[in-house]
Amino acid sequence: MATETPPPSKEQHKLPTTEEFTEVQESAEFGELRRSYRSFAFPLTVGFIAWYLLYVLLSNYAGDFMGTKVFGNINIALILGLAQFLTTFLIAWWYSRVAAAKFDPKAEAIKSRMEGGA
């Protein structure tokens, strides 16, 4: 099974002018794409940074709590540290699903209209 990507298309795409870029940037469709992206990405970013800072602050100022053994040599600090990795991967997976379903189709429509002149 080949996993090679196909060769680049020989088809020439029309390069948009500066005015066309400005027109698209001011369009309602682009504004909706930007709003939907920001309403997803910004709260998620703020939430993750808050979660990370909570971990750092607990590590610095709540040593006794973080050192509490849960079982064996596993303490709360280790569990929360591993949870940082888990949430990073979950956020990346969730973003890729949402982007593929919501953002990419809208962005592709705008791109194809600009390149194709439709």
Side-chain angles (χ1 to χ4, degrees):
M1 175 173 20
T3 58
E4 296 178 17
T5 58
S9 173
K10 303 251 188 229
E11 181 180 318
Q12 292 294 322
H13 294 287
K14 172 184 137 321
L15 294 176
T17 64
T18 305
E19 293 79 22
E20 290 171 323
F21 273 113
T22 304
E23 182 182 320
V24 166
Q25 184 179 9
E26 294 170 353
S27 72
E29 183 182 24
F30 186 77
E32 175 56 33
L33 174 61
R34 186 173 44 225
R35 266 188 305 281
S36 64
Y37 171 75
R38 287 179 178 172
S39 68
F40 179 79
F42 287 176
L44 202 56
T45 301
V46 169
F48 183 78
I49 290 172
W51 158 229
Y52 174 74
L53 289 176
L54 174 67
Y55 176 73
V56 171
L57 290 172
L58 286 173
S59 295
N60 283 324
Y61 300 110
D64 292 338
F65 169 71
M66 295 294 272
T68 303
K69 295 196 185 253
V70 178
F71 53 90
N73 286 330
I74 307 300
N75 61 19
I76 291 176
L78 180 62
I79 292 171
L80 293 179
L82 292 173
Q84 289 284 318
F85 286 102
L86 178 64
T87 54
T88 300
F89 291 115
L90 287 174
I91 288 170
W93 171 79
W94 187 24
Y95 174 80
S96 69
R97 302 235 342 161
V98 170
K102 288 177 66 176
F103 310 141
D104 293 349
K106 292 177 185 176
E108 186 59 37
I110 292 170
K111 177 185 172 203
S112 64
R113 194 169 45 257
M114 286 187 75
E115 288 179 346

